[in-house]
Amino acid sequence: MESKVDLTFCGGINEVGGNALLLEDHIHNVKLFIDFGINIKSYNNHYEYLQFPKSVEELIRLGLLPDEAEIGFLNLYQRESVKIKYNPSNASSKLDAIIISHPHRDHFLALSFINRNIPVYAGEFTQKIISAYYKCTKRSIINNFEGIKWKLFRTGDIIHINGLEIIPCHVDHSIPASYGFIIKTSAGNCVYTGDFRMHGPLSWMSYDFVKKIKEYKVNTLICEGTHVNQGHFESEKKVKRNLKQLFKQMPYDYALVKYDRLNWDRFRTYSVIAKMNDFNYIISEKDAYFYYLMNKDKIYESMRHPNILNDDHILIITNGDVRFKWQETIRTKLYKEGKGNRLLKTKDISNLNKKFLLYLTRLPIKLIEKLNKKFKGVFISSYLDPYTEEYVDDNHSISRKLMQLGIPSYQIHASGHIMPHDLYKFIINVNPTTLIPIHTEYPHFFESLLENSEIKVLIPEKYRKIQLN
Ligand SMILES: [Zn+2]
């Protein structure tokens, strides 16, 4: 029998991140991808820092991009993307849309390669963060969002694609502008959670999502399960509390701080801690520009602080002469405000007469070696989830270097993902007919978890169509 709806999982199964789910509704005649990410962990296994893929084909071969041959499409990608420039002469694609849940790279990065005729639906601020990421990251084949046909939504909107209705709703995650979706397919209502948590500072957003879901009878729940089998009691508040404790009797002159640039919560927490303890907070020019772009839009209240132009405890390391437009923008803005003294050269760090936090997206060993030897430091790794989607560096080699330099390290973080007890409550509350686990290394755990319930667990396999009726 022909099915009404087919789901094909092209990534994010048996792994954390790299979500790319093809939903085909044959009654409404719609084909769309929900999320279009790249698994960052396996990407980093194949490419060194600043080493880039040569082609779409190469990424398909490595299993990092959905294979058109497997899903029966042509023109999903613009091959011209190899030349980076947007080429409007792409033939039209058979895909109707791509919808992005949130601006983490393991959910959106593959957009770099898509045929520009495909409309991309994203939250208003989701798009802004992606575009700020684009502007602040080295242009390459894998960072090319030029010419994308964006269609923006907010919570409260209903998205119509042909006859298909999608209801987006905000959720709390480690990055603002994260959404879950209720999709009213011809085979019943389908919920896609994206990445979410119930324990974060904006948990009311996730509860809104639950409330919205409860208005519907859910047939299929496609649920993230990063932490299905392992929990920690942690929160951004606890991160702040732990940092306060460490800083209260801080014998060190500086702290090297590491977290992901896209983690706004963490940036705010560190900025507050620095200010409270009379530390300077040193960030790179790129970070300053990224956060300046966020400040400028400040759609969310949380986007106002810290404020790159006004917060004088934030110092910015500049890198030589102005070579790019973004450098000019951030430097000019600061000079205009009479804050030119907040721009530092690397060598100035050793002459600071104040304790400082040095924030690093990557660990430039050379810079640390150059720091004044009389300074004593500590390293604080604050990845949201060291083992999940935004994990970039090899922690071990960093630890080795820090050992040589006599810098002790701490790990203080909070997860962006729902904890086991909250996840179990969520599933029981939603009470779907079928549950499909994604974004987890332990999909089979859901089977044992729900063994005695009425909920059927379906473990997806890559490229194997799941038929819904
Ligand atoms: Zn995420």
Side-chain angles (χ1 to χ4, degrees), residues 235-246 268-270 272-273 276 412:
S235 64
E236 198 58 36
K237 266 191 206 141
K238 203 166 161 192
V239 166
K240 208 165 168 181
R241 215 163 44 232
N242 290 342
L243 286 173
K244 269 190 194 163
Q245 214 173 340
L246 177 63
R268 206 163 56 245
T269 301
Y270 274 110
V272 169
I273 291 290
M276 206 185 258
I412 300 179

Side-chain angles (χ1 to χ4, degrees), residues 68-290:
E68 290 159 307
E70 293 278 354
I71 53 176
F73 282 175
L74 284 175
N75 302 322
L76 181 56
Y77 303 109
Q78 55 162 355
R79 258 56 183 185
E80 289 81 358
S81 64
V82 181
K83 291 178 218 135
I84 295 178
K85 271 267 176 277
Y86 164 59
N87 185 339
S89 68
N90 286 307
S92 99
S93 162
K94 275 154 63 189
L95 193 72
D96 297 292
I98 297 176
I99 183 164
I100 300 295
S101 66
H102 68 283
H104 270 148
R105 293 173 302 161
D106 58 332
H107 293 254
F108 79 79
L109 199 57
L111 290 180
S112 282
F113 303 99
I114 58 152
N115 183 327
R116 273 20 180 187
N117 292 316
I118 305 167
V120 178
Y121 291 77
E124 271 175 34
F125 204 73
T126 315
Q127 187 272 331
K128 287 237 161 69
I129 296 177
I130 293 174
S131 129
Y133 168 85
Y134 172 45
K135 287 180 191 160
C136 299
T137 309
K138 193 180 168 63
R139 290 293 155 94
S140 71
I141 177 174
I142 197 147
N143 179 39
N144 173 27
F145 303 96
E146 203 71 53
I148 285 182
K149 246 202 295 184
W150 294 103
K151 291 193 178 262
L152 305 181
F153 60 76
R154 331 178 56 132
T155 298
D157 291 349
I158 298 175
I159 301 163
H160 296 269
I161 303 170
N162 296 351
L164 187 75
E165 256 183 40
I166 301 176
I167 299 149
C169 181
H170 52 215
V171 291
D172 186 33
H173 183 38
S174 49
I175 192 160
S178 299
Y179 292 85
F181 303 117
I182 300 164
I183 308 147
K184 296 166 83 175
T185 77
S186 307
N189 299 314
C190 176
V191 169
Y192 178 87
T193 62
D195 291 355
F196 74 127
R197 62 183 173 187
M198 311 306 288
H199 61 269
L202 299 173
S203 57
W204 59 271
M205 287 187 169
S206 301
Y207 286 103
D208 276 358
F209 184 46
V210 175
K211 212 165 123 197
K212 194 83 210 154
I213 295 171
K214 290 299 282 177
E215 292 174 22
Y216 301 88
K217 161 90 194 80
V218 176
N219 279 38
T220 314
L221 172 62
I222 302 161
C223 189
E224 80 125 312
T226 316
H227 288 314
V228 63
N229 63 330
Q230 204 173 49
H232 307 269
F233 275 94
E234 51 189 28
S235 64
E236 198 58 36
K237 266 191 206 141
K238 203 166 161 192
V239 166
K240 208 165 168 181
R241 215 163 44 232
N242 290 342
L243 286 173
K244 269 190 194 163
Q245 214 173 340
L246 177 63
F247 275 77
K248 206 161 88 188
Q249 295 179 11
M250 176 88 145
Y252 305 108
D253 305 294
Y254 66 89
L256 305 170
V257 174
K258 193 161 162 51
Y259 60 85
D260 195 274
R261 184 182 288 151
L262 290 174
N263 186 350
W264 183 271
D265 282 350
R266 200 50 48 82
F267 185 70
R268 206 163 56 245
T269 301
Y270 274 110
S271 169
V272 169
I273 291 290
K275 204 169 183 173
M276 206 185 258
N277 291 282
D278 201 26
F279 271 58
N280 278 131
Y281 195 17
I282 306 175
I283 64 174
S284 76
E285 215 173 353
K286 265 261 167 81
D287 301 318
Y289 181 61
F290 178 78

